[in-house]
Amino acid sequence: MKRYRILFIALIAMTAFSSCSDFLTTDLTDPKKTNESYYQTPEDAYTALVGCYNGLDLIWNGATAFPVASEVFSDNSLGGTGASDGYGYQMLDEFNKSISPSDVSIFGTTWKNYYQAIYRCNVLLGKLDQVSWGDSTSVKTQYESEAKFIRAFCYFDMVRLWEKVPLVTTPTLDNVPQASADSTYTLIMNDLRYAVDHLPSNDYTSVPSGRVTKWAAESLLARVYLFYSGYYGKSSIGGETAQTALAAVEDVIANSGHSLVSDYTTLWPAASLAKGVTYAGEDNPEVVFSIKYSSTGDYNGNITGNTWMVMEGIREESHFPYQYGWGACTVDPKLYNTFSADDSRRFASIINISEEFPDYSKADKNREYTGYFMKKYSPICDSTGTSVVTDFQIGQYQDYFAIRYSDVLLMAAELGSPNAVSYYNQVLERANPSASPATSVNEDVIMAQRRLEFVGEGIRYWDLLRQGVDKAAKTIADNTSVSYLDNGGTPPSASQLEANIKATNGFQQIPNDQITLSSGTLKQNAGW
């Protein structure tokens, strides 16, 4: 276990002073301690918890970060990137392994980062009883709840990406076989239920920004239930049902203190600047849970910045307030045209080149240029075209809003709340006050609203997939302007794209390097 001990101490030293919120700023008081002797005081456990939170920065690192990849999978966007770029995003947006070399591992680093974050949580959870808590036992319970939430968050990403993943709950050097999806979802639900039952029921404003709350745990529990029950067609998992999921989000609505901001545009920095309105801030009442970022990272393994935002920047040319980037996730024109002209979410979510800066001169530098780019997580520049951060590739500090209150409202509506119409209309009328309020809602109506509400947030693909792989494949194929797809030859037809998605069951390639390292213990997913 020596190799793991050294790794963990190094990670704690790295993360103890690298985060972006006050609660994530602390000092390692005795870096000479070993993994066995380190956990003695509540302060030691707190520093380790900081490492767990920083694990969330690690998992979504770079080109294949979950929000970016999820948009590429969906019917919202194409892969994009540069005209001469390789196979990576083509493989993702076409679900086509033949585009890439046979030994490619698109998600190789992503896989390792998830397990590194889970490792940190597992170590902390395994050492809590070693700490001398004194009269601070409630703090122990809180830290356990937070670590379990973070572990559940990671595993939920992983089980959706790859379905059958090794289920590791204690540090080990063994090759662990892939678990069934049910086993992984049971752990996720058990972790979230623990957090729900043990975190305080205080108004969200009483909790330091960025930390896990009861409300975040309840919201994630409902999200997990909706995906699991939809994709697998089962009514319960880990003791959770539609009734418990609905009760969870109803509790958030009734007691958390969260609410919608009045102007959708103000949720997003780039959109706020473009419209000339005041950004609502990263701690606004709509944010139920966020992944916190800062600009203090470096290229020596100290990851604290939002390193995936650069992927979504417009290709090669800055136009205030949009800092240039690598041009990924070019928006499908069919999506842009789905919005009504009166819907504030269209401007807030999507950069329209022809309307905002028609003098853009780098269209030919894009691989799948559509005239539209993602806006919500666009890097930002000043009026001279200079990035607002020192290093625009690793220094972006915009938080990712992992769960917003509008999602809570729409989940409650979907789960059959007696207030479903009211919840739905709150979301609709905030986006478009002139829209006619709904008098009834059903799954199709709610799903259509969810698509418009969460463009660019990595949610759409999973909303489709949980309706069944056949429906997801057909919807993506029907809604994708395949003429923009470029696979180095003839773009696939809509029917071929649909067939590709079905062949994979909607899941992604397990990194081939991990299969090799496991000596064949890991098995590749269908279609890859």
Side-chain angles (χ1 to χ4, degrees):
M1 298 294 289
K2 181 178 180 181
R3 177 158 61 99
Y4 278 95
R5 288 200 299 269
I6 293 172
L7 173 64
F8 184 70
I9 294 300
L11 291 174
I12 288 295
M14 177 184 77
T15 61
F17 46 82
S18 63
S19 68
C20 53
S21 294
D22 290 343
F23 99 90
L24 289 179
T25 304
T26 185
D27 292 317
L28 182 60
T29 55
D30 188 357
K32 295 181 181 180
K33 290 181 179 179
T34 67
N35 195 27
E36 282 72 22
S37 65
Y38 178 77
Y39 294 87
Q40 295 181 11
T41 69
E43 290 73 23
D44 295 337
Y46 177 81
T47 303
L49 181 63
V50 170
C52 296
Y53 275 97
N54 182 252
L56 294 174
D57 294 342
L58 294 174
I59 61 173
W60 289 359
N61 180 19
T64 55
F66 192 87
V68 179
S70 297
E71 288 299 313
V72 175
F73 303 154
S74 80
D75 53 352
N76 283 348
S77 74
L78 310 177
T81 68
S84 60
D85 283 350
Y87 51 79
Y89 272 25
Q90 290 173 287
M91 177 177 165
L92 299 184
D93 68 7
E94 297 176 31
F95 288 75
N96 188 354
K97 69 176 182 179
S98 67
I99 291 173
S100 65
S102 60
D103 62 347
V104 71
S105 294
I106 292 292
F107 287 104
T109 300
T110 302
W111 177 282
K112 289 182 283 189
N113 287 345
Y114 274 110
Y115 277 108
Q116 188 176 103
I118 289 168
Y119 172 79
R120 297 182 185 188
C121 295
N122 286 340
V123 171
L124 174 58
L125 291 168
K127 296 293 184 180
L128 287 173
D129 287 338
Q130 184 176 307
V131 173
S132 298
W133 293 98
D135 58 359
S136 299
T137 54
S138 63
V139 176
K140 173 189 175 184
T141 302
Q142 177 179 324
Y143 290 3
E144 183 173 359
S145 299
E146 292 176 81
K148 285 186 173 181
F149 175 96
I150 294 169
R151 182 171 69 179
F153 189 98
C154 292
Y155 269 125
F156 184 43
D157 279 6
M158 295 176 72
V159 76
R160 285 182 292 170
L161 283 170
W162 302 298
E163 188 180 34
K164 295 178 180 177
V165 296
L167 191 59
V168 182
T169 57
T170 57
T172 181
L173 289 174
D174 295 337
N175 277 332
V176 179
Q178 290 150 296
S180 68
D182 275 7
S183 296
T184 304
Y185 277 101
T186 297
L187 176 73
I188 292 169
M189 286 303 202
N190 289 342
D191 278 355
L192 292 175
R193 177 51 63 185
Y194 184 92
V196 168
D197 290 346
H198 291 88
L199 287 169
S201 301
N202 298 336
D203 186 285
Y204 83 94
T205 57
S206 67
V207 180
S209 173
R211 291 190 76 161
V212 174
T213 63
K214 175 187 179 74
W215 320 118
E218 288 184 318
S219 302
L220 186 57
L221 187 150
R223 181 181 287 181
V224 173
Y225 176 80
L226 282 168
F227 184 85
Y228 174 84
S229 64
Y231 186 87
Y232 295 100
K234 299 179 181 180
S235 60
S236 65
I237 184 68
E240 305 300 337
T241 65
Q243 289 71 35
T244 64
L246 176 58
V249 283
E250 292 280 29
D251 191 29
V252 177
I253 294 167
N255 298 307
S256 69
H258 286 292
S259 62
L260 298 177
V261 302
S262 59
D263 182 349
Y264 186 89
T265 308
T266 64
L267 286 167
W268 318 106
S272 296
L273 285 169
K275 190 178 178 182
V277 296
T278 301
Y279 172 45
E282 60 190 23
D283 303 325
N284 71 73
E286 191 159 338
V287 181
V288 180
F289 183 67
S290 62
I291 294 181
K292 309 292 289 184
Y293 292 106
S294 79
S295 59
T296 61
D298 57 41
Y299 288 100
N300 298 316
N302 184 16
I303 305 298
T304 65
N306 187 329
T307 61
W308 52 267
M309 282 178 61
V310 66
M311 298 305 301
E312 297 190 6
I314 56 176
R315 187 78 189 181
E316 295 193 21
E317 190 173 278
S318 297
H319 290 261
F320 177 77
Y322 314 115
Q323 162 68 34
Y324 78 84
W326 308 144
C329 300
T330 49
V331 175
D332 197 303
K334 289 183 178 179
L335 169 61
Y336 185 83
N337 293 327
T338 300
F339 287 94
S340 72
D342 295 330
D343 194 321
S344 62
R345 294 172 298 195
R346 188 176 73 174
F347 178 83
S349 304
I350 301 171
I351 299 170
N352 181 338
I353 296 295
S354 65
E355 289 188 1
E356 295 195 57
F357 42 94
D359 58 336
Y360 178 63
S361 64
K362 301 294 185 180
D364 63 340
K365 301 298 183 181
N366 292 263
R367 184 172 64 85
E368 295 171 341
Y369 182 71
T370 65
Y372 303 98
F373 291 95
M374 291 294 182
K375 184 179 291 185
K376 288 178 179 175
Y377 291 99
S378 170
I380 294 172
C381 66
D382 63 21
S383 59
T384 70
T386 303
S387 173
V388 299
V389 297
T390 302
D391 189 323
F392 76 96
Q393 296 189 77
I394 66 169
Q396 301 296 334
Y397 51 80
Q398 182 179 340
D399 292 349
Y400 173 75
F401 296 160
I403 305 173
R404 291 195 289 113
Y405 184 68
S406 60
D407 196 2
V408 175
L409 292 171
L410 292 176
M411 287 192 291
E414 186 178 347
L415 285 162
S417 170
N419 300 312
V421 173
S422 172
Y423 295 160
Y424 175 90
N425 282 331
Q426 287 181 50
V427 176
L428 171 64
E429 292 169 4
R430 188 265 298 268
N432 185 1
S434 65
S436 299
T439 56
S440 64
V441 294
N442 57 34
E443 182 182 60
D444 289 342
V445 169
I446 293 170
M447 285 295 175
Q449 192 64 218
R450 289 181 64 84
R451 186 186 190 193
L452 302 179
E453 180 71 16
F454 303 119
V455 167
E457 298 179 56
I459 290 176
R460 169 65 173 175
Y461 177 69
W462 310 109
D463 277 350
L464 290 175
L465 191 57
R466 64 185 173 89
Q467 298 176 74
V469 66
D470 288 351
K471 184 172 183 178
K474 179 170 176 50
T475 301
I476 293 170
D478 289 348
N479 288 345
T480 297
S481 301
V482 294
S483 60
Y484 288 101
L485 292 173
D486 174 13
N487 64 357
T490 303
S493 64
S495 60
Q496 184 59 60
L497 177 59
E498 181 179 353
N500 289 351
I501 298 171
K502 288 182 178 180
T504 66
N505 295 315
F507 299 114
Q508 300 304 308
Q509 180 203 51
I510 292 172
N512 282 316
D513 59 355
Q514 293 299 316
I515 293 175
T516 300
L517 288 169
S518 75
S519 300
T521 299
L522 301 181
K523 306 301 181 184
Q524 187 56 270
N525 280 330
W528 296 105

